Amino acid sequence: VAEVLSGPDAVKLVGRTPPGRGEKTAPDITKAVRQPGGFVRRMDVRTKVTAFLAAVVLAVLFHNPAYNTGIAGGMTVLALWAGVRPQSLAKVLVPLLPVFFLVILVNAVSFVPGPPNANGTILFYLLPGHHLAVLSGGLVRGLTFLLRMLMMVLATAFLTAATEADEIVQLLHKLRIPDVAAFTVTTAWRFVPALDHRRIQILEAQQARGAKLEAKGMLGAVQAYIPIMVPLLIYSIVLANSLAMAMLNRGFGFNRTVTYLRSTAFSLKDYAALAIIAVIVSYAVYARTMSWGM
């Protein structure tokens, strides 16, 4: 942002001639970055946060994998509707596959049958000599934990895809959190993807230069990643300086009255969404009290 304000393009953006008189108009960048899921994005931020909290509650209510699979499927549809790209979701889930496998394996071999855990049927043994028995109840419990982790990922993906940074600032302002603290938290959350993207770029550049990033031992791994951390640290300092310049150019902190680009207000679709969320959560709590899905 600071480069646009202080660079040579600032004259072109602010004082450009009318279209058709020498210079072409700048493209509408909002069309370039706009993604699907506009209906969900236009909802009030409080509605989206309420949907996220409801998803978290639904993720921990049931122990039956069939119930959790249905809930996870609904969350997947909701996340895709909010604009989450399947490719982006796959990039998040693929690195978690070893974790999912370990969760199922540990629960399968550590399951202890008893009154709370009645299903203790032995399916097979991992080691010869009847060692490390895999129980059916352990697999069910492992699948339950796996689906809960998946639902947490889907709920977080929905919230981050459907909610912009300024909406989070408005929500924190509604909660009576100081504006400076709200801006700090939101800015840190906003620039984490930017830093991760730059980390990948630096990693690929250093590998193209022949940097050896594979080393044995903890100390060797730290030394191997010095060529990655030093440029990333410098980039973070430059990014913080650019952000500070942009904030000064906009007069941040000059007036204690904070204004926002959009105002938060409930609409008819927000009330309808909140009513649907209340019905779903109420029915799920009732099903839990009736021991359904346990």
Side-chain angles (χ1 to χ4, degrees):
V1 177
E3 293 177 358
V4 175
L5 293 175
S6 59
D9 293 335
V11 178
K12 296 180 181 180
L13 291 175
V14 177
R16 64 174 183 265
T17 57
R21 295 186 180 182
E23 186 178 352
K24 297 180 180 180
T25 58
D28 185 6
I29 61 174
T30 58
K31 295 181 180 180
V33 301
R34 189 176 295 125
Q35 300 175 356
F39 179 80
V40 179
R41 287 168 179 256
R42 288 192 296 268
M43 287 186 176
D44 189 89
V45 60
R46 291 166 289 185
T47 304
K48 290 179 279 192
V49 172
T50 303
F52 170 77
L53 296 177
V56 173
V57 172
L58 293 175
V60 298
L61 278 180
F62 303 105
H63 298 290
N64 192 326
Y67 281 72
N68 290 325
T69 301
I71 297 174
M75 291 185 183
T76 303
V77 174
L78 187 62
L80 296 176
W81 189 27
V84 178
R85 295 187 177 92
Q87 297 84 355
S88 302
L89 192 59
K91 290 181 179 179
V92 175
L93 294 178
V94 168
L96 295 176
L97 291 179
V99 179
F100 293 159
F101 175 76
L102 288 177
V103 167
I104 295 178
L105 180 62
V106 170
N107 282 276
V109 300
S110 63
F111 184 79
V112 178
N117 306 317
N119 196 352
T121 305
I122 298 177
L123 300 178
F124 56 89
Y125 294 93
L126 293 178
L127 298 178
H130 299 285
H131 296 292
L132 288 181
V134 176
L135 304 179
S136 57
L139 285 179
V140 171
R141 189 175 65 178
L143 287 174
T144 300
F145 289 154
L146 185 151
L147 290 171
R148 286 178 177 176
M149 295 172 61
L150 179 61
M151 285 186 281
M152 294 297 181
V153 172
L154 292 172
T156 305
F158 161 78
L159 184 64
T160 54
T163 310
E164 298 180 1
D166 57 344
E167 292 180 320
I168 299 297
V169 174
Q170 289 179 315
L171 177 62
L172 296 177
H173 179 72
K174 291 286 186 181
L175 298 176
R176 305 296 182 181
I177 295 177
D179 296 320
V180 176
F183 180 80
T184 303
V185 173
T186 309
T187 303
W189 176 50
R190 171 64 181 83
F191 281 103
V192 165
L195 290 176
D196 183 68
H197 180 68
R198 181 52 61 100
R199 178 191 63 83
I200 296 175
Q201 290 180 339
I202 295 173
L203 179 63
E204 294 176 351
Q206 297 292 27
Q207 288 178 342
R209 294 184 178 97
K212 297 181 179 179
L213 302 178
E214 297 180 358
K216 297 181 180 180
M218 183 178 299
L219 183 60
V222 173
Q223 293 177 349
Y225 271 85
I226 290 179
I228 307 298
M229 299 306 299
V230 172
L232 186 62
L233 179 62
I234 295 175
Y235 171 75
S236 62
I237 295 174
V238 173
L239 184 64
N241 185 41
S242 301
L243 179 62
M245 292 173 58
M247 292 168 60
L248 289 175
N249 289 331
R250 285 166 169 78
F252 183 82
F254 179 77
N255 192 351
R256 293 186 177 182
T257 302
V258 180
T259 58
Y260 299 97
L261 181 63
R262 292 185 295 268
S263 59
T264 57
F266 284 112
S267 61
L268 182 60
K269 58 178 177 291
D270 292 299
Y271 289 112
L274 290 175
I276 295 174
I277 293 171
V279 171
I280 293 176
V281 173
S282 300
Y283 183 77
V285 172
Y286 172 76
R288 174 60 185 267
T289 58
M290 298 298 292
S291 298
W292 298 348
M294 303 300 293

